[in-house]
């Protein structure tokens, strides 16, 4: 190319640039429109929820006054339930504010995932992340059982600090995106970070040498339990996805229960085993705290393990009670409906796109 050709190329490029500018302008206008539409959706959503709360409040009052419940009331309740599911679905498509913890760590960056498939992928990735890290922890714990090498112990403990810290961030992102993970499980991971941090600064003395093996066995054990949890959680996740894909699936709520929580009874004994192990560790540490060489870390760790044991036991028993008593019935039924409906919407949307006039002319 000579200079003239370069200038000609440049002039051609100016025309292309004008096109890029105009496309970018359109894009910015649409972005602005999206922001406005999101705001309008949020307002309408609040409005729906407010009016629905008045209706449900009135229905409850009527029930308390023992006004006989006729078919109209049952239908209305069903409709309210469906609407709640739909509102939940609509809400999932709108951006959400970060929690305080995420604001502190990440700043005001937007972590809302607005697409259902991406949400599913994120949760799936989170479960796989836990699995991989558990496998590494298992290998390191077993190695530490056979090799007495301080750097290897520190690598494992440091890995635990990083792992639990990362979990707290990922779980906060999941929470922002509509996960119903209970506060305790998140707090559990915060406390576990503290536990691992304290272990990291526990000096290598006689009490540590006495405790080390028990701790490594514990890590190996919970890594195996983590694998079982992974199998269970992935099962639940894929069944939920399948639920959305099976449109005319007519399952009874009882059938839904046993189908949805398949594998839980298999997992439970191992979870309880873990909690008993935590109690045993708390007890061992309590005894070690009377050792002449004991440092301040030991009683603190004993107290933390006791807290973990008690709160884990309490939360799991509460979860089981809810699952068997059916408190979750409604919420899962809502999810079932929501998944089904949102899927139908996706299909309708797809059909609509396929039948769009411009597609027909092509
Ligand atoms: N960690 C992370 N997320 C959890 C969780 C945990 N321990 N327990 C439940 N969740 C999530 C679920 O994935 C679900 O998420 P979603 O809303 O995004 O779908 C949500 O919280 C609600 O779950 P829920 O229906 O209450 O329970 P579940 O059937 O999914 O799981 C248990 C029930 C008992 C299996 C589960 O809570 C568990 O494994 N707990 C034990 C954890 C533990 O003690 N670990 C240490 C072992 S020593």
């Amino acid at each position: 190319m000579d200079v003239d050709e370069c200038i000609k190329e440049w002039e051609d490029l100016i025309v292309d640039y004008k096109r890029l500018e105009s496309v970018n302008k359109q894009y910015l206008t649409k972005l602005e429109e999206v922001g406005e539409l999101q705001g309008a959706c949020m307002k309408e959503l609040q409005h729906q929820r407010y009016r629905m709360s008045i209706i449900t409040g009135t229905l409850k009052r009527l029930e308390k006054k023992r006004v006989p419940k006729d078919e109209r009331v049952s239908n209305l309740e069903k409709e309210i339930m469906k609407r709640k599911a739909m509102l939940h679905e609509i809400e999932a498509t709108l951006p959400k504010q970060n929690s305080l913890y995420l604001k502190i760590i990440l700043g005001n960056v937007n972590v809302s995932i607005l697409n259902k498939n991406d949400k599913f992928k994120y949760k799936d990735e989170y479960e796989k992340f836990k699995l991989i890290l558990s496998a590494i922890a298992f290998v390191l714990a077993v190695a530490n059982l056979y090799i007495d090498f301080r750097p290897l112990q520190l690598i494992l403990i440091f890995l635990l600090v990083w792992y639990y810290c990362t979990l707290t961030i990922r779980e906060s992102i999941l929470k922002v995106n509509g996960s119903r993970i209970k506060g305790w499980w998140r707090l559990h991971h915060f406390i576990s970070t503290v536990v691992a941090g304290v272990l990291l600064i526990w000096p290598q003395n006689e009490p540590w040498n006495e405790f080390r093996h028990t701790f490594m066995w514990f890590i190996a054990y919970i890594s195996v339990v983590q694998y079982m949890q992974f199998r269970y959680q992935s099962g639940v996740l894929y069944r939920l996805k399948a639920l959305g894909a099976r449109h005319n699936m007519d399952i009874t709520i009882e059938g839904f229960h046993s189908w949805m929580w398949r594998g839980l009874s298999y997992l439970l004994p191992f979870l309880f085993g873990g909690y008993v192990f935590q109690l045993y560790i708390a007890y061992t540490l309590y005894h070690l705290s009377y050792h002449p060489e004991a440092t301040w870390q030991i009683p603190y760790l004993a107290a933390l393990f006791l807290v973990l044991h008690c709160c884990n036991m309490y939360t799991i028993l509460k979860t089981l009670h809810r699952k068997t008593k059916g408190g979750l019935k409604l919420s899962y039924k809502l999810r079932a409906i929501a998944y089904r409906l949102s899927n139908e919407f996706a299909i309708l949307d797809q059909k609509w796109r396929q039948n769009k006039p411009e597609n027909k002319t092509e």
Side-chain angles (χ1 to χ4, degrees):
M1 268 204 302
D2 58 15
V3 175
D4 283 342
E5 271 174 330
C6 281
I7 290 172
K8 197 176 166 304
E9 273 293 307
W10 178 248
E11 272 157 11
D12 271 3
L13 204 57
I14 288 177
V15 178
D16 290 354
Y17 178 68
K18 286 264 180 291
R19 204 173 52 231
L20 168 64
E21 254 187 347
S22 108
V23 172
N24 183 247
K25 213 169 166 187
Q26 271 181 38
Y27 165 68
L28 290 178
T29 323
K30 291 260 187 273
L31 267 190
E32 223 169 88
E33 268 175 41
V34 166
E36 278 166 20
L37 288 173
Q38 282 173 342
C41 274
M42 281 177 201
K43 237 170 119 186
E44 290 296 333
L45 202 72
Q46 274 170 7
H47 175 71
Q48 285 280 328
R49 289 213 164 118
Y50 171 69
R51 292 195 62 180
M52 270 167 62
S53 69
I54 295 177
I55 301 171
T56 29
T58 313
L59 288 180
K60 266 189 196 144
R61 266 199 305 280
L62 289 175
E63 204 179 324
K64 263 189 197 157
K65 281 187 195 159
R66 298 191 189 282
V67 175
K69 203 169 162 183
D70 62 17
E71 206 184 314
R72 285 176 313 151
V73 177
S74 311
N75 279 343
L76 185 58
E77 279 176 348
K78 238 190 228 167
E79 285 305 313
I80 291 175
M81 197 172 81
K82 275 190 201 159
R83 178 67 53 82
K84 274 189 184 162
M86 288 309 297
L87 294 185
H88 186 267
E89 282 308 292
I90 292 174
E91 195 174 32
T93 62
L94 298 170
K96 264 164 237 88
Q97 281 278 321
N98 281 357
S99 60
L100 181 66
Y101 181 59
L102 281 181
K103 269 188 195 152
I104 293 169
I105 296 182
L106 306 176
N108 226 349
V109 65
N110 184 4
V111 293
S112 301
I113 307 169
L114 304 181
N115 174 306
K116 195 173 264 311
N117 257 344
D118 291 346
K119 266 187 199 176
F120 174 81
K121 266 192 224 151
Y122 189 74
K123 174 85 188 210
D124 196 35
E125 248 176 44
Y126 158 81
E127 294 296 345
K128 282 186 184 139
F129 170 79
K130 287 207 291 190
L131 182 71
I132 293 168
L133 267 288
S134 300
I136 299 173
F138 178 81
V139 172
L140 286 172
V142 173
N144 272 306
L145 278 172
Y146 293 101
I147 309 163
D148 181 11
F149 185 50
R150 182 66 176 159
L152 196 62
Q153 294 164 15
L154 290 178
I155 288 173
L156 171 62
I157 300 171
F158 186 76
L159 182 84
L160 292 178
V161 176
W162 178 79
Y163 167 62
Y164 284 119
C165 215
T166 315
L167 278 194
T168 62
I169 301 171
R170 283 185 182 240
E171 280 158 7
S172 300
I173 295 176
L174 282 170
K175 188 81 192 157
V176 167
N177 286 293
S179 172
R180 292 157 307 107
I181 174 169
K182 269 181 217 60
W184 165 250
W185 299 129
R186 290 175 63 213
L187 185 60
H188 178 284
H189 295 144
F190 279 102
I191 297 178
S192 301
T193 314
V194 177
V195 167
V198 176
L199 279 166
L200 201 59
I201 52 172
W202 181 343
Q204 200 184 5
N205 51 14
E206 193 44 39
W208 167 251
N209 282 333
E210 280 180 32
F211 174 67
R212 169 165 77 80
H213 270 85
T214 314
F215 178 68
M216 296 307 165
W217 275 114
F218 176 67
I219 296 296
Y221 180 80
I222 57 166
S223 303
V224 174
V225 175
Q226 183 56 54
Y227 169 70
M228 290 174 174
Q229 272 176 269
F230 169 80
R231 295 279 305 266
Y232 168 76
Q233 291 293 358
S234 332
V236 172
L237 199 62
Y238 281 91
R239 280 193 287 276
L240 270 178
K241 210 182 178 197
L243 204 58
R246 289 159 71 176
H247 288 272
N248 301 319
M249 191 167 61
D250 188 22
I251 38 174
T252 61
I253 209 74
E254 287 71 25
F256 180 71
H257 265 222
S258 55
W259 178 70
M260 199 65 213
W261 293 303
R262 201 188 296 156
L264 186 58
S265 47
Y266 179 63
L267 169 67
L268 282 174
F270 293 94
L271 283 177
F272 283 119
Y275 304 154
V276 172
F277 210 148
Q278 282 172 339
L279 187 64
Y280 172 70
I281 288 186
Y283 174 76
T284 310
L285 287 167
Y286 169 73
H287 263 267
L288 277 176
S289 66
Y290 289 102
H291 194 284
E293 281 183 47
T295 46
W296 65 266
Q297 288 90 349
I298 303 174
Y300 273 87
L301 284 172
L304 287 173
F305 270 100
L306 187 64
V307 169
L308 285 179
H309 163 80
C310 296
C311 296
N312 277 342
M313 276 301 230
Y314 174 75
T315 314
I316 202 123
L317 291 175
K318 225 174 113 198
T319 305
L320 285 181
H321 183 256
R322 272 193 317 123
K323 279 193 197 294
T324 47
K325 276 273 168 195
L328 269 179
K329 258 184 201 173
L330 187 65
S331 73
Y332 269 96
K333 189 151 190 207
L334 290 180
R335 288 181 87 183
I337 298 164
Y339 266 83
R340 231 180 292 168
L341 291 178
S342 70
N343 229 282
E344 276 160 16
F345 275 141
I347 286 170
L348 280 178
D349 188 42
Q350 214 178 349
K351 278 189 188 155
W352 179 76
R353 275 168 209 273
Q354 279 164 3
N355 295 332
K356 250 168 59 173
E358 66 232 47
N359 287 350
K360 278 187 179 160
T361 51
E362 267 168 17

